[in-house]
Amino acid sequence: MIGALKGESHRCEFDGVETVPTATGRYCYVPTIHKVKLGEIVDLLRQFAEMPKTLMIPEIPNYSFAKKLYSTFLSYLPKEKAIFDLKMNIDDRGSFTELVHTINCGQVSINISKPGIIKGQHWHHTKWEQFIVVSGHGLIQQRKEGTDEVIEYEVSGDHIQSVIMLPGYTHNIINLSDTQDLVTVMYCNEVFDPNRPDTFFDPVDK
């Protein structure tokens, strides 16, 4: 439509009911058409509206109707709904906050550890994670279950790196600072399921 308003419309002729694109065609046509049932639109809009509660981003493949509908939905979002609270799980060690869930690609969270604190000390069967320290100075340790060898990665927000927590390796993250919080972005390939947590306690350094 914007192209048509600028005099740059897509032109065509018709072979029966079939569109035949041609630069000098007598008719305007829309090059991309999506055929979607009303029920699917309703389901998508419901998912979009519930996102602040579920944190779940719907499947929105590139160039899909869902992606375009989501952008349209957001463009009409009242300004007071463009901000929403996240649940911060806070204890004396710091906090852990889930940011985004996805249907097939897991979740992203933010972890804040107070000075001197160790978090983790567990391993997973099939779940894997990536830790990205964005502020502070920390040490990530991993030990393959059944062995004594400990792998260590010293990390800092001054040089941002991604460290993969390997399945079958018990792991932790230690805040090495005496004064500064350690802030870590954590990606996990699965959304946490309390019925199947796939998380087993075992200290890295026995």
Side-chain angles (χ1 to χ4, degrees):
M1 184 176 290
I2 292 174
L5 291 172
K6 292 181 177 179
E8 301 169 355
S9 59
H10 293 82
R11 311 297 299 184
C12 75
E13 294 291 341
F14 284 95
D15 181 4
V17 295
E18 297 297 322
T19 302
V20 181
T22 175
T24 58
R26 292 172 292 170
Y27 307 101
C28 295
Y29 79 103
V30 178
T32 303
I33 298 174
H34 299 280
K35 295 181 180 180
V36 185
K37 293 181 180 179
L38 180 59
E40 295 177 38
I41 297 175
V42 172
D43 288 342
L44 282 169
L45 291 174
R46 184 177 294 114
Q47 292 178 53
F48 299 162
E50 291 176 351
M51 188 271 179
K53 294 180 181 178
T54 66
L55 303 181
M56 184 66 69
I57 299 293
E59 288 189 282
I60 45 177
N62 205 18
Y63 307 114
S64 67
F65 172 79
K67 182 175 182 180
K68 295 171 183 177
L69 182 64
Y70 196 23
S71 294
T72 302
F73 174 86
L74 292 176
S75 71
Y76 284 94
L77 198 66
K79 61 180 182 299
E80 64 271 13
K81 291 190 176 182
I83 183 171
F84 56 90
D85 292 335
L86 296 170
K87 181 185 177 184
M88 296 181 67
N89 301 287
I90 301 173
D91 59 25
D92 57 1
R93 302 173 302 161
S95 67
F96 179 80
T97 306
E98 296 180 17
L99 304 180
V100 170
H101 293 173
T102 67
I103 295 172
N104 295 315
C105 298
Q107 68 180 49
V108 178
S109 307
I110 193 86
N111 181 77
I112 300 176
S113 299
K114 294 183 178 179
I117 290 297
I118 302 175
K119 286 190 176 183
Q121 306 285 49
H122 59 242
W123 62 279
H124 314 290
H125 275 297
T126 59
K127 186 184 295 184
W128 57 271
E129 301 164 300
Q130 286 178 260
F131 290 1
I132 303 103
V133 168
V134 295
S135 179
H137 179 208
L139 180 69
I140 295 171
Q141 297 179 313
Q142 301 191 62
R143 176 178 57 79
K144 186 175 183 179
E145 286 295 300
T147 74
D148 296 324
E149 181 183 0
V150 176
I151 307 169
E152 296 187 335
Y153 304 93
E154 192 168 344
V155 287
S156 168
D158 294 331
H159 177 60
I160 295 178
Q161 298 172 293
S162 179
V163 182
I164 298 175
M165 304 300 110
L166 304 170
Y169 282 68
T170 186
H171 52 270
N172 63 28
I173 184 165
I174 305 168
N175 187 347
L176 297 177
S177 173
D178 295 326
T179 58
Q180 186 180 3
D181 285 348
L182 182 69
V183 182
T184 308
V185 176
M186 294 183 172
Y187 167 76
C188 181
N189 69 315
E190 300 175 8
V191 174
F192 180 74
D193 181 355
N195 297 315
R196 299 181 62 186
D198 187 16
T199 301
F200 306 92
F201 176 77
D202 190 13
V204 174
D205 190 7
K206 293 188 174 182

